[in-house]
Amino acid sequence: MKLSALTAYLESLAPLNYQEDYDNSGLIVGNPEQEVSHALISLDCTEAVVDEAIATGCQVIISHHPIVFKGLKKFNGKTYVERVVEKAIRKGIAIYAIHTNLDSIMTGVNARICETLGLKNSRILLPKHNLIKKLVTYVPLNHADTVRDALFAAGAGTIGNYSEVSFNAEGTGTFKGNDAATPYVGEIGKRHKEDEIRIETVYPANLESKILMALILAHPYEEVAYDLYNLTNQHQQVGSGMIGELELPLNEESFLFHVKDKMRTHVIRHTKLLGKHVKKVAVCGGSGGFLLKHAIAAGADVFITADYKYHEFFDAEGKIVIADIGHFESEQFTQQLLYEIIRKKFPIFAVRLTEVNTNPVKYFI
C-alpha cells in the first residue's frame, strides 16, 4: 500500500495536533506516495535500526522517538542523526515517528504501562486544552436530521462516553438572493423567511475539514451559514500521564518489586518510602517530572516515570513516592503496542519488531 495509507491510519488514532510543541512526530523521511509492504518498529531510530531495515527489506521504520527534533543545517555525517537521515534517504527507507501524540491518547503509551502494572479505572492525569471546537449551523426543518446524521458520521458530537450530542433550537432565517443566486427556496430579489433549526455540536479540531465538507455536502442551501468557536474545555480523553488503582493495595516495597518485575527494569531510583500502602498510582512514560504536582493533587501514592534529576527528587516533600524506572524501560512496551495496532488494521501487511536494543543507558551490576 501507499505509505500515506499507513500514516493516515496512525494519525487517525493519534492525531499530530496532540503532540507537544517541542515534538516532531509524523513523516520525517520519505514520500507519502511510495509503496510499502514491510515495516520495522522500534523505540528509537539509530544507524543499527536502519541497517536492520535494509537487511530485512523494510521500506519504512516506525519509531516512537523522532530521529530529528530540531532543524538540521548540515548533512556531513558528523552526528548519528545526520548519518541516520542520510542513509535512510540513500536507501529509500521512510522514517515515521509517533511520539507524544501516542503518549496523549487513552489507548497509548501510558495505558500500556497501566495495563502492564495491572492498574484499574485508569484515566488521563493532565487533560489537554484547546483540542475541542464547536460548530453552529442553521438548517431548514425538513433537512435537520440529514445534516445532523452527516455531522455525526464525520466525527462530530462526541463527548466522553456519549455520541451524537447536539443542541437544537428553532427560529426563523432570512435571506435575499441576487441575480446570480440559485436559491434552494425563495425568489431572487425578494427577502425570504424560512423556518430553520440552529444545530450546535462539538468536534475534535483535527477533524474540522472533514466535518465542514460533510456539512456542505448534506446542507441544501447554496451558501451554508455556520460559525466555528474555539473552546478551552479540557479533553478528558487526551493528555499527559495516567492514573489508576491497584486491585489490592500493596506495601511500598512489594509494589516496587512488582514494578521492577513487570517493567523489566534493572534498578528503580526512588524517594524515601513513606510506610504507607500503595493503592493509587500515577504513571508517565519517558520524562514526566512536570506531572508531579498533578500526581500529588490526584492523590497518587506512587508516581512512576523517568529522567528525574537529583534536586527534583526533593519535590516529593514526603507527599508521594517518586519511582524513576528509566526512560527506555518506561516506554519499551510501546513497540509491541504499535505492532498490535498495525496488525489489527492491516493483518496481511508485513510488520516486525526490531531486534536492536536501542537503550543507550547500560547498568554495571
Side-chain angles (χ1 to χ4, degrees), residues 133-139 147 151 196-201 203 208-217 219 221-229:
K133 300 185 73 173
K134 183 168 76 170
L135 166 70
V136 176
T137 189
Y138 307 87
V139 187
V147 171
L151 293 174
E196 295 178 339
I197 290 184
R198 173 189 170 111
I199 299 174
E200 299 185 23
T201 189
Y203 62 92
E208 183 164 287
S209 60
K210 180 180 179 182
I211 287 167
L212 289 181
M213 181 59 69
L215 169 64
I216 291 169
L217 291 176
H219 203 291
Y221 286 176
E222 180 183 18
E223 298 289 347
V224 180
Y226 62 87
D227 304 316
L228 303 178
Y229 298 88

Side-chain angles (χ1 to χ4, degrees), residues 79-294:
T79 69
Y80 84 95
V81 174
E82 293 173 11
R83 292 191 295 272
V84 165
V85 173
E86 287 175 352
K87 182 175 286 189
I89 291 174
R90 285 200 309 269
K91 298 295 183 178
I93 296 174
I95 299 176
Y96 183 85
I98 181 167
H99 190 210
T100 53
N101 51 327
L102 186 63
D103 291 337
S104 295
I105 62 175
M106 280 288 292
T107 54
V109 175
N110 295 306
R112 181 52 59 101
I113 297 174
C114 290
E115 179 185 327
T116 302
L117 293 175
L119 302 182
K120 309 295 182 183
N121 305 317
S122 299
R123 59 179 174 83
I124 297 292
L125 182 59
L126 178 60
K128 284 185 177 292
H129 295 265
N130 302 312
L131 294 176
I132 303 171
K133 300 185 73 173
K134 183 168 76 170
L135 166 70
V136 176
T137 189
Y138 307 87
V139 187
L141 293 179
N142 59 350
H143 278 76
D145 287 338
T146 299
V147 171
R148 269 193 298 266
D149 289 345
L151 293 174
F152 296 153
T158 296
I159 300 177
N161 295 322
Y162 295 85
S163 61
E164 301 189 6
V165 177
S166 70
F167 176 78
N168 303 268
E170 293 189 17
T172 302
T174 66
F175 50 84
K176 181 171 69 173
N178 61 27
D179 291 339
T182 53
Y184 168 71
V185 290
E187 297 180 35
I188 291 175
K190 293 184 179 181
R191 182 191 301 159
H192 177 76
K193 292 183 179 181
E194 182 71 19
D195 292 332
E196 295 178 339
I197 290 184
R198 173 189 170 111
I199 299 174
E200 299 185 23
T201 189
V202 296
Y203 62 92
N206 60 290
L207 295 181
E208 183 164 287
S209 60
K210 180 180 179 182
I211 287 167
L212 289 181
M213 181 59 69
L215 169 64
I216 291 169
L217 291 176
H219 203 291
Y221 286 176
E222 180 183 18
E223 298 289 347
V224 180
Y226 62 87
D227 304 316
L228 303 178
Y229 298 88
N230 292 313
L231 303 180
T232 60
N233 304 49
Q234 290 182 333
H235 195 315
Q236 296 294 332
Q237 294 183 317
V238 179
S240 302
M242 295 191 80
I243 186 166
E245 298 176 353
L246 291 169
E247 192 165 353
L248 295 173
L250 294 173
N251 65 53
E252 292 164 330
E253 288 191 0
S254 297
F255 177 70
L256 291 180
F257 275 117
H258 173 69
V259 173
K260 193 170 186 290
D261 174 52
K262 294 297 184 180
M263 298 303 296
R264 302 176 193 171
T265 182
H266 296 285
V267 64
I268 299 176
R269 299 190 306 143
H270 62 86
T271 53
K272 181 181 178 180
L273 301 185
L274 304 177
K276 301 177 181 179
H277 277 80
V278 177
K279 175 66 174 178
K280 191 175 289 187
V281 180
V283 306
C284 181
S287 305
F290 68 100
L291 289 172
L292 177 62
K293 64 180 180 180
H294 301 284

